Amino acid sequence: MLLKIYNDNPSPKAIEEAVEVLRKGGVIIYPTDTVYGMGCDITNQKAIEKVYALRGLKPEKSNLSFICYDLTDISQYTKPFDTTVFRVLKKALPGPFTFIFNASSQVPKLLSSKKKTVGIRVPDNNIIRELVKQLGHPIVTTSIHDDDEIIEYSTDPELIYEKYQDKVDLVIDGGYGDNVASTVVDLTSGDFEVIREGKGDLDQYL
């Protein structure tokens, strides 16, 4: 199913339709403030396994991130961090960043992996944040890559739908996506270490 939702003013009815798919264990594709993502409800083990399979990832080796609605969700999934970090997060989020934290004990159980770290995203996109808010907890997320050698990420929702319509339960058309991924910042040592330069410029928040 392809569902059109406008980022400026997401239709509550359409959001509820998408949330219902997630509640039933569906895998969906959705826009973010960077590239299109694929994900599911973090509490549904079978759906998480389907995401791993669709992306050809091994649970023990892969780095799936969580999309949270805001900072209040984050502390459940991370080990405590200091107020300096919190202040930067408050300024930088919602925004095009993935912050990597030391994971709380809850994360490996959710992802059936031995990972001791977790990536957290709060995208500046009303569609995906409303989905997470209505669902009531975060969703697991991974980026949609393109088969094209020049373009790394798929940006056209209709082409994404053509490719994935038989593989996922829902594709949300939120307009053209970006072709630049999020900036990945490692916070596991307590310092801000940029490990992938992307759309976000961390320097303006430090």
Side-chain angles (χ1 to χ4, degrees):
M1 180 167 67
L2 183 66
L3 183 64
K4 178 83 182 167
I5 305 181
Y6 296 93
N7 184 42
D8 293 344
N9 190 15
S11 149
K13 186 170 175 290
I15 292 289
E16 186 50 48
E17 205 175 326
V19 167
E20 205 46 46
V21 172
L22 289 168
R23 285 196 185 115
K24 287 177 178 164
V27 172
I28 69 169
I29 290 174
Y30 42 82
T32 70
D33 52 354
T34 56
V35 300
Y36 265 79
M38 176 194 291
C40 64
D41 181 340
I42 61 165
T43 64
N44 192 304
Q45 200 55 52
K46 280 197 171 154
I48 292 171
E49 283 163 17
K50 190 175 172 188
V51 170
Y52 280 128
L54 283 168
R55 289 280 283 105
L57 302 169
K58 291 191 170 139
E60 62 279 6
K61 289 184 178 168
S62 36
N63 295 315
L64 295 184
S65 296
F66 294 174
I67 292 182
C68 296
Y69 176 70
D70 60 18
L71 287 176
T72 54
D73 291 336
I74 292 178
S75 57
Q76 292 178 58
Y77 307 102
T78 67
K79 289 199 170 152
F81 47 85
D82 65 28
T83 50
T84 313
V85 169
F86 182 78
R87 277 200 290 269
V88 172
L89 294 178
K90 210 166 175 196
K91 287 188 280 186
L93 298 174
F97 296 95
T98 301
F99 289 102
I100 298 173
F101 295 90
N102 292 307
S104 71
S105 57
Q106 202 168 335
V107 172
K109 282 185 256 176
L110 288 166
L111 295 183
S112 64
S113 78
K114 295 186 176 71
K115 280 290 196 190
K116 297 207 168 70
T117 61
V118 60
I120 301 281
R121 284 220 63 203
V122 182
D124 188 10
N125 177 283
N126 296 325
I127 298 168
I128 188 60
R129 286 183 71 221
E130 273 305 309
L131 278 183
V132 171
K133 187 179 183 185
Q134 297 305 328
L135 182 63
H137 35 79
I139 68 172
V140 165
T141 185
T142 179
S143 302
I144 298 286
H145 285 261
D146 201 286
D147 298 331
D148 191 299
E149 288 176 14
I150 300 166
I151 304 165
E152 192 180 349
Y153 298 99
S154 306
T155 58
D156 184 335
E158 292 194 2
L159 292 178
I160 293 172
Y161 177 66
E162 273 177 35
K163 182 176 174 182
Y164 286 100
Q165 60 182 321
D166 299 327
K167 297 174 182 171
V168 301
D169 302 280
L170 171 67
V171 176
I172 294 173
D173 175 356
Y176 269 85
D178 210 319
N179 196 29
V180 182
S182 62
T183 294
V184 180
V185 184
D186 189 338
L187 288 169
T188 54
S189 68
D191 291 326
F192 291 88
E193 185 191 346
V194 175
I195 54 175
R196 180 182 75 190
E197 289 283 357
K199 192 174 174 185
D201 177 9
L202 189 67
D203 287 343
Q204 34 179 331
Y205 304 107
L206 294 176

